Amino acid sequence: MVDGDEQPGPGPREQAAPPALRASDADRERVIEALRRHTAAGRLDHEELEERLTGTLEAKTVDELAALTADLPALTEQDPHPKRPDEAVRRELKAQLAQKAGGAAAISLLCVVIWLASGASGHFWPIWVIIGTGAGVVGTSWRGLGPGGDPQSELERLREERRRGRHGHGRRRHDRHALPPAARPPHDRRRRR
């Protein structure tokens, strides 16, 4: 019997869906590892991997994470993470390195042209630009393709660097001025104005 003020509760089919569970960083890491293993097994190409990795990092709920792997089979211990990176990853990293080296060479050449156009007097200052840009290319090459290098993680680092550059979120340095004065290093306790 229902009183005049009370409304009947929802029936079995009318009950509200449970709220979506929020995803944790550990949940995201599990999905990232699964996506890497599926890529190594040949189920995803690198463009699909990149799209799904972006989706994983942006996912707020467990359901959103599950949707990213819903069309992939469950992994077993017989699908090991490969010890040696697949050649496609190495080729893509080499292509990224060639692009990065081209950019470094273009900047260096521009500086040499400016130096020559200004009379080529004084010391050869473009050497500092050449060394700086060259060091970045050599460092990336060594970390990705050198002995003990990890091409997959270096390729992901380059993608993240490019993504941050596209969205205007350049690499942020540690802002020691955000610390209270007592926590700043002794040489940096001067007052900011």
Side-chain angles (χ1 to χ4, degrees):
M1 181 172 230
V2 177
D3 291 342
D5 294 344
E6 294 181 31
Q7 297 292 325
R13 291 189 176 195
E14 298 172 355
Q15 290 184 356
L21 296 176
R22 300 288 289 193
S24 69
D25 289 340
D27 294 330
R28 289 183 192 88
E29 288 299 321
R30 279 191 293 276
V31 172
I32 288 170
E33 181 60 26
L35 291 172
R36 286 183 183 149
R37 289 176 63 189
H38 284 296
T39 302
R43 293 183 189 103
L44 298 173
D45 63 26
H46 291 286
E47 289 78 26
E48 291 172 313
L49 173 65
E50 189 170 333
E51 289 173 14
R52 291 182 191 219
L53 287 175
T54 300
T56 302
L57 296 174
E58 294 173 352
K60 302 279 188 238
T61 66
V62 174
D63 291 340
E64 290 172 352
L65 287 176
L68 294 166
T69 56
D71 62 337
L72 299 169
L75 291 169
T76 65
E77 291 304 316
Q78 287 136 358
D79 293 330
H81 186 71
K83 296 291 182 199
R84 187 162 191 265
D86 95 16
E87 281 305 309
V89 172
R90 294 178 70 82
R91 275 194 309 273
E92 188 173 349
L93 179 59
K94 286 177 184 178
Q96 295 278 344
L97 282 168
Q99 187 176 13
K100 189 171 184 168
I107 291 170
S108 299
L109 180 63
L110 177 64
C111 289
V112 170
V113 168
I114 291 170
W115 180 73
L116 289 171
S118 66
S121 61
H123 79 285
F124 182 65
W125 59 264
I127 191 68
W128 300 111
V129 175
I130 294 168
I131 290 171
T133 57
V137 173
V138 169
T140 300
S141 299
W142 185 259
R143 286 187 304 268
L145 302 172
D150 185 358
Q152 182 68 43
S153 65
E154 194 59 25
L155 184 59
E156 289 171 16
R157 188 188 69 76
L158 286 173
R159 288 175 180 157
E160 179 64 20
E161 194 175 276
R162 180 177 294 157
R163 186 185 69 77
R164 284 184 180 173
R166 263 197 313 255
H167 294 104
H169 303 294
R171 190 179 272 188
R172 294 183 65 201
R173 295 182 182 198
H174 176 67
D175 186 6
R176 58 180 175 248
H177 299 294
L179 299 173
R184 292 183 194 155
H187 65 278
D188 195 40
R189 288 195 180 146
R190 63 187 176 275
R191 187 175 288 209
R192 286 182 70 196
R193 295 184 194 266

